Amino acid sequence: MRLRREQVVSTALRLLDEVGLDALTMRRLGQELNVQAATLYWHVKNKQELLDAMAEALLSDCVARAPEGLTWMDRTANMAERLRRALLAHRDGARVFAGTYVTQENTLRFADTWVGALREAGLSPRAAAWGTWTMVYYTIGFTLEEQALAPLPGVEDGKVDPAHLRAALARGAYPHLGEASTHLLDADLDARFRYGIQLILAGLEAAPRDEPSDPAPEGPRPRRQPRRNR
């Protein structure tokens, strides 16, 4: 059967769950698909293009319409929740997504809906675009940390033992951290994520609605003519 690009991407995502991003190499993928390198590179020319295709596939379930009747803030928070769930659906999903620059259907439609929600709230094009970026960066960063600290397959415990932080704070040398230790060690990551999103949304709600129109992009400057010797 002829190899298809979709098969390459789906196999790469399965391997990602099994071995993680660091062990996901083009050679390993070719072996899994039982194809030669030349066949594999016909579909993805290098690992970066493979990661772009994987990132696009991660968003396949994110492009569904948000529930009707939501406020713009709830719609926008829903977009961030969808992105986080998509990244958490695969091992190292946030690492795959970070650093990609995808211009394909799922990514563009998802981004258009996100920016559109902020535009409908009355934000300027700049505030809507930069507000979307801010929420995307926060979501990726939060999920990167979340996945970095999660237990690896076959390992019962995570990489961080809260007892170490408790012991360090028990000496009383860091009074402010000690006062907030209950919240620093709170394992409810869903609540922590939503708290950060609400902070961003509060800032966007307070953003001015009367920003000046975005300046038109500058055209190419005329080239100087060489000065002639007189």
Side-chain angles (χ1 to χ4, degrees):
M1 185 174 65
R2 184 177 180 182
L3 184 66
R4 295 176 291 108
R5 180 182 172 92
E6 293 80 5
Q7 185 181 356
V8 172
V9 176
S10 63
T11 302
L13 287 171
R14 178 172 56 79
L15 271 179
L16 179 71
D17 289 333
E18 294 175 4
V19 302
L21 183 58
D22 293 331
L24 176 61
T25 63
M26 298 295 282
R27 175 178 294 183
R28 179 75 176 267
L29 180 58
Q31 291 173 346
E32 190 72 16
L33 291 165
N34 197 27
V35 298
Q36 299 295 322
T39 302
L40 185 59
Y41 285 117
W42 177 263
H43 298 281
V44 285
K45 62 184 179 182
N46 52 43
K47 188 171 182 179
Q48 184 58 57
E49 186 171 304
L50 174 65
L51 293 177
D52 289 348
M54 293 168 68
E56 169 73 0
L58 287 175
L59 295 186
S60 60
D61 293 332
C62 291
V63 294
R65 292 178 59 88
E68 299 293 336
L70 297 181
T71 66
W72 73 268
M73 296 184 75
D74 287 340
R75 286 178 57 200
T76 309
N78 180 262
M79 303 295 289
E81 292 280 3
R82 289 191 203 185
L83 178 57
R84 176 171 171 247
R85 288 197 301 267
L87 301 184
L88 289 175
H90 290 277
R91 178 178 173 182
D92 292 333
R95 287 182 61 199
V96 169
F97 195 82
T100 58
Y101 195 80
V102 183
T103 55
Q104 298 179 41
E105 179 66 18
N106 290 339
T107 303
L108 294 178
R109 186 185 302 175
F110 188 55
D112 185 72
T113 302
W114 205 329
V115 172
L118 296 181
R119 287 287 288 137
E120 290 173 15
L123 294 177
S124 69
R126 184 183 72 170
W130 289 4
T132 297
W133 275 129
T134 300
M135 297 185 75
V136 169
Y137 294 152
Y138 168 74
T139 304
I140 293 174
F142 189 98
T143 314
L144 276 170
E145 185 74 4
E146 188 173 2
Q147 291 187 313
L149 300 179
L152 295 174
V155 179
E156 293 184 0
D157 298 322
K159 301 177 183 178
V160 174
D161 185 353
H164 295 310
L165 180 57
R166 291 193 187 97
L169 298 182
R171 296 192 295 268
Y174 311 100
H176 301 301
L177 292 179
E179 184 182 34
S181 61
T182 300
H183 307 291
L184 291 171
L185 296 170
D186 191 334
D188 190 346
L189 296 179
D190 293 339
R192 282 160 57 179
F193 178 76
R194 289 193 295 268
Y195 182 80
I197 289 296
Q198 292 304 317
L199 288 179
I200 297 173
L201 289 174
L204 290 172
E205 186 177 32
R209 280 2 188 217
D210 56 352
E211 286 189 307
S213 301
D214 294 338
E218 294 185 3
R221 295 182 178 180
R223 297 178 60 184
R224 287 187 177 182
Q225 297 297 323
R227 180 177 295 176
R228 296 179 181 178
N229 294 327
R230 294 182 178 177

